[in-house]
Amino acid sequence: MCGIVGAIAERQVSAILVEGLKRLEYRGYDSAGVAVYTDAGQLQRCRRTGKVVELEQALQAEPLVGRLGIAHTRWATHGAPSEANAHPHFSSTDLAVVHNGIIENHESLRGELQALGYVFSSQTDTETIVHLLHHLLKSHADLADALKAAVRQLHGAYGLAVISAAQPDRLLAARSGSPLVIGLGLGENFLASDPLALRQVTDRFIYLEEGDIAEIRRDSLQIWDAQGQAVLRDMVQYHEQAEAADKGEYRHYMLKEIHEQPKVVQRTLEDRLAADHVLTQAFGPQAGELFGRVRNVQIVACGTSYHAGLVARYWLEALTGVPCQVEVASEFRYRQVAVQPDALFVTISQSGETADTLAALRNAKDAGYLASLAICNVGTSSLVRESDLTLLTRAGPEIGVASTKAFTTQLVGLLLLTLAIGRARGSLPAAVEADAVQALRGLPGLLKQALDMDGQIEKVAEAFAEKHHSLFLGRGEQYPVAMEGALKLKEISYIHAEAYPAGELKHGPLALVDSDMPVVTVAPNNELLEKLKSNLQEVRARGGQLIVFADRDAQLENGEGTRVINMPHSHALLAPILYTVPLQLLSYHVAVLKGTDVDQPRNLAKSVTVE
Ligand code: F6R
């Protein structure tokens, strides 16, 4: 999704801005641009469609030399990806704006501004902001005052960075619905939509809150809240190494992140397990008392995180007896929901900034839920800051657009939640919890065994590379695992993939099956195995090509049209986490064979901060 970087310094800023944009590349974008207030006293910009490296080359050919600047990677919402639509947008030659988010009333604003004589050079909603600000500067001499007046007229979501040739000693920022963070330096300050963009220049950050406006100068900072009151916001210092900075020995971030899973799962479990039970306080000081009162769980999330929620429903209902509903956030947020008594509202998100999930949480605030809990990978995210309880998944920065280690650590977090709720309510026998805790301790080792199967899976991928469609089957809690496998494949290889509960096959999708249709199945050795085997026979009888990831004791054999890959034996509760790994590897290898852009697949963004 769109990225913002800004800088005001004694030194030249172009290289810092471009480096920041490169660090945000993983979020997905289709054009990039930079505007600098040059040492010659002019605002100048450079914009390019395509990758940041093209912008960088253009800047090498014609440098923008200055000490104040803003930069942007754009993921098209209003208007096609083109140089004219790329940010920064100018009004006249003295005002430049970059914007993340969507301005919903841009059409009416555009009409009003055109009536005032403003000429638009793009189809973007952003251009209305820069002209509106330009117009308001006629009645508000100070840039911050004009920006405060401008945002009062904007409906929608925005993270904004503004510079002006008339007031070149400041960089302005405004946040509503789209995250912004200020990076603090010595005699220089920075702005970005994600601190990752600024880790090369600082480790000290101030997060803007909803409605904040900031005036950032080289050696001072002023922030006003939504009511216009001057406020001080806390500074956060990062100590941990930026571990995502490079791909190391791996060809792609996605492969690196798949292989990091044993380590990050281990980290997610650290300090959270006692000898025979889950430490409920890991969710927050009030968690024990609140979990004891839970009579219902509502999970809301998007994409891969939604799939994690679907697995959790099986665990929660089976182990705690608590009814659980799971819904995608973009549906939940616009629905009149009948809230159950004593329902815990759970959001799941890698980024913690997904617009729909965040909106659902905000709606839930006044809806009568017992409490809100975020299972999230980013401790400083809006979702975490706005939830009553939190469990951080500690997967580390995930750069590949296709989510991998975030998903498995979410599943670990959700299993911990299930066990914690079960014990707090007294509905989970102590022996069952102790057994699950012991199994969890062995999970990193089990995942390593699954990763060792990489070579075999790479061979299986060859059967896929020429195909156009595929089916993924699972039963029980493996059905959402199949959904996640299908999502991974379509995201990065662009092969059409559908997931079905295996028992549903004969109610329609079986009509699709022929020798051109690979059918991927996850088959742990559980009580549904025999039923699953019958479903597989139905596929074979129609010539379907089966690829089965099966427990080594499942007694499924290779044969004509059937490729069985034996999986290590696992505790039933861990099977959804274990069986996810070969599906991730399968998608990865198919995408590599097809030559797609694995880490930044077409049309997708990492952090979806617009609805
Ligand atoms: C798929 C993927 C997306 C995200 C979804 C939610 O690989 O990455 O489907 O899972 O956009 O994002 P978060 O988890 O950041 O809320």
Side-chain angles (χ1 to χ4, degrees):
M1 204 96 308
C2 306
I4 288 178
V5 189
I8 182 160
E10 293 292 348
R11 53 178 162 158
Q12 290 182 24
V13 294
S14 277
I16 297 171
L17 297 173
V18 170
E19 173 61 23
L21 291 186
K22 282 188 176 165
R23 287 167 180 252
L24 296 180
E25 278 194 295
Y26 74 95
R27 296 164 68 100
Y29 67 101
D30 40 53
S31 55
V34 170
V36 169
Y37 176 71
T38 67
D39 289 352
Q42 289 171 333
L43 269 188
Q44 287 186 356
R45 70 181 160 184
C46 178
R47 299 178 292 173
R48 288 291 180 274
T49 53
K51 298 283 178 190
V52 174
V53 69
E54 288 165 45
L55 177 72
E56 189 176 32
Q57 282 160 3
L59 286 167
Q60 274 158 8
E62 281 186 56
L64 295 181
V65 180
R67 288 138 225 282
L68 168 69
I70 52 178
H72 192 259
T73 42
R74 172 174 187 257
W75 188 75
T77 54
H78 295 76
S82 69
E83 213 161 289
N85 286 334
H87 303 207
H89 287 284
F90 276 16
S91 188
S92 145
T93 51
D94 51 11
L95 200 59
V97 166
V98 293
H99 163 224
N100 286 358
I102 287 178
I103 302 304
E104 286 172 341
N105 58 334
H106 74 103
E107 277 174 2
S108 59
L109 285 173
R110 182 180 274 252
E112 289 166 29
L113 289 160
Q114 280 168 333
L116 289 166
Y118 285 96
V119 176
F120 283 73
S121 57
S122 78
Q123 298 150 307
T124 64
D125 50 344
T126 305
E127 201 181 350
T128 57
I129 304 173
V130 71
H131 292 317
L132 175 65
L133 194 54
H134 187 274
H135 173 62
L136 290 165
L137 275 164
K138 293 173 191 158
S139 50
H140 300 76
D142 181 71
L143 190 55
D145 288 343
L147 184 58
K148 287 177 199 167
V151 298
R152 281 199 285 272
Q153 297 192 40
L154 302 179
H155 302 164
Y158 53 81
L160 294 174
V162 182
I163 56 174
S164 151
Q167 298 178 45
D169 56 347
R170 66 201 73 177
L171 162 63
L172 270 291
R175 173 197 165 141
S176 181
S178 206
L180 281 178
V181 62
I182 295 167
L184 303 174
L186 291 174
E188 57 185 13
N189 286 313
F190 309 93
L191 178 73
S193 47
D194 182 331
L196 204 60
L198 301 176
R199 289 304 302 270
Q200 83 277 23
V201 284
T202 185
D203 60 358
R204 294 182 303 139
F205 295 97
I206 290 178
Y207 284 84
L208 292 185
E209 294 192 4
E210 284 297 281
D212 281 358
I213 290 192
E215 183 185 80
I216 306 158
R217 299 185 186 230
R218 276 183 191 89
D219 43 23
S220 68
L221 173 64
Q222 175 76 65
I223 302 176
W224 297 272
D225 67 12
Q227 285 70 45
Q229 299 296 316
V231 282
L232 292 175
R233 299 276 179 231
D234 292 341
M235 198 259 297
V236 184
Q237 187 147 14
Y238 285 116
H239 297 291
E240 92 264 20
Q241 289 293 315
E243 49 182 307
D246 65 67
K247 296 194 269 268
E249 65 191 92
Y250 296 99
R251 188 165 159 198
H252 295 101
Y253 280 110
M254 182 182 176
L255 188 61
K256 177 182 177 225
E257 289 159 4
I258 290 173
H259 280 270
E260 278 173 353
Q261 291 177 110
K263 180 180 78 185
V264 296
V265 160
Q266 177 75 46
R267 206 164 27 176
T268 306
L269 291 170
E270 265 160 29
D271 323 324
R272 289 166 173 170
L273 297 179
D276 57 1
H277 64 272
V278 172
L279 296 169
T280 308
Q281 283 192 344
F283 294 86
Q286 324 95 305
E289 186 267 324
L290 284 169
F291 288 175
R293 287 160 54 199
V294 168
R295 282 197 285 155
N296 190 281
V297 175
Q298 171 70 60
I299 298 179
V300 172
C302 300
T304 288
S305 301
Y306 166 69
H307 295 156
L310 290 176
V311 174
R313 183 168 67 119
Y314 288 90
W315 287 334
L316 274 160
E317 298 207 345
L319 293 185
T320 72
V322 172
C324 172
Q325 309 83 46
V326 191
E327 191 163 349
V328 287
S330 54
E331 288 299 315
F332 180 88
R333 66 178 288 193
Y334 289 114
R335 203 163 66 75
Q336 292 275 328
V337 177
V339 179
Q340 302 294 319
D342 294 322
L344 180 68
F345 185 80
V346 179
T347 54
I348 309 169
S349 173
Q350 188 286 125
S351 62
E353 301 293 350
T354 300
D356 286 321
T357 309
L358 204 48
L361 170 65
R362 289 176 183 156
N363 290 355
K365 285 251 148 103
D366 304 319
Y369 287 96
L370 178 64
S372 59
L373 162 68
I375 298 207
C376 185
N377 195 33
V378 181
T380 47
S381 63
S382 308
L383 203 67
V384 167
R385 284 183 285 142
E386 295 181 28
S387 296
D388 303 318
L389 304 171
T390 304
L391 188 86
L392 294 183
T393 46
R394 300 180 184 160
E398 193 178 60
I399 302 295
V401 163
S403 195
T404 53
K405 61 177 181 170
F407 179 68
T408 41
T409 51
Q410 284 167 352
L411 289 178
V412 170
L414 289 160
L415 189 47
L416 295 178
L417 175 67
T418 303
L419 299 174
I421 290 180
R423 185 156 46 84
R425 296 182 73 252
S427 52
L428 180 71
V432 175
E433 184 176 12
D435 178 50
V437 164
Q438 202 191 353
L440 273 168
R441 288 189 202 287
L443 179 58
L446 206 56
L447 295 177
K448 277 195 192 116
Q449 290 180 47
L451 289 168
D452 287 343
M453 297 163 50
D454 195 17
Q456 277 184 70
I457 296 169
E458 193 172 357
K459 286 208 180 62
V460 174
E462 287 165 17
F464 255 88
E466 302 302 319
K467 305 292 185 199
H468 299 290
H469 305 277
S470 58
L471 283 177
F472 282 67
L473 304 180
R475 293 193 76 129
E477 65 273 32
Q478 293 293 337
Y479 168 46
V481 171
M483 292 169 84
E484 175 59 10
L487 178 65
K488 284 291 87 87
L489 189 73
K490 61 188 138 193
E491 272 182 298
I492 60 168
S493 75
Y494 316 147
I495 292 176
H496 175 217
E498 293 286 336
Y500 276 94
E504 187 66 10
L505 209 56
K506 54 175 131 355
H507 298 288
L510 203 53
L512 293 170
V513 171
D514 62 15
S515 58
D516 249 352
M517 173 73 90
V519 180
V520 179
T521 308
V522 273
N525 193 4
N526 61 18
E527 68 287 353
L528 292 173
L529 182 64
E530 290 311 315
K531 296 201 180 303
L532 187 70
K533 282 182 180 171
S534 318
N535 302 142
L536 298 187
Q537 288 310 322
E538 293 159 10
V539 172
R540 269 311 297 141
R542 273 96 193 156
Q545 302 297 302
L546 282 170
I547 296 164
V548 191
F549 294 96
D551 187 284
R552 57 167 190 245
D553 300 333
Q555 291 172 341
L556 277 161
E557 311 232 317
N558 276 321
E560 173 72 22
T562 305
R563 178 76 200 264
V564 178
I565 298 111
N566 283 324
M567 296 288 295
H569 189 59
S570 84
H571 190 290
L573 281 177
L574 303 187
I577 310 176
L578 178 67
Y579 280 70
T580 296
V581 175
L583 300 189
Q584 295 169 340
L585 287 168
L586 180 65
S587 300
Y588 173 77
H589 289 300
V590 173
V592 169
L593 284 170
K594 290 201 71 184
T596 57
D597 190 346
V598 172
D599 284 332
Q600 292 171 37
R602 67 185 184 199
N603 306 342
L604 297 180
K606 181 67 186 165
S607 179
V608 184
T609 49
V610 293
E611 70 167 300

